[in-house]
């Protein structure tokens, strides 16, 4: 459960977190690496589609 104060804290931290992840991780990947990461990230969704859930 997240309190209103916790949600505000999370909302305030999110932009800096996203920028840091982009700078330290995403921006350092080659286009082929990003494509592979996207394919991996879709697997749980594909598994749900295959199982009919």
């Amino acid at each position: 459960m997240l309190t209103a104060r916790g949600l505000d804290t999370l909302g305030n931290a999110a932009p800096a977190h996203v920028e840091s992840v982009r700078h330290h991780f995403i921006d350092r990947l080659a286009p082929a690496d990003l494509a592979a990461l996207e394919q991996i990230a879709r697997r749980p969704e594909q598994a749900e589609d295959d199982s009919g859930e």
Side-chain angles (χ1 to χ4, degrees):
M1 181 176 208
L2 191 59
T3 65
R5 182 176 176 194
L7 184 59
D8 286 342
T9 300
L10 184 60
N12 290 333
H17 172 73
V18 169
E19 177 57 31
S20 179
V21 169
R22 177 175 292 280
H23 174 73
H24 294 287
F25 183 70
I26 301 296
D27 290 347
R28 296 173 186 230
L29 297 176
D33 296 330
L34 289 171
L37 188 59
E38 182 179 1
Q39 182 180 9
I40 292 165
R42 286 186 178 163
R43 286 196 180 170
E45 181 180 291
Q46 291 168 345
E48 286 179 10
D49 290 346
D50 292 344
S51 69
E53 292 180 13

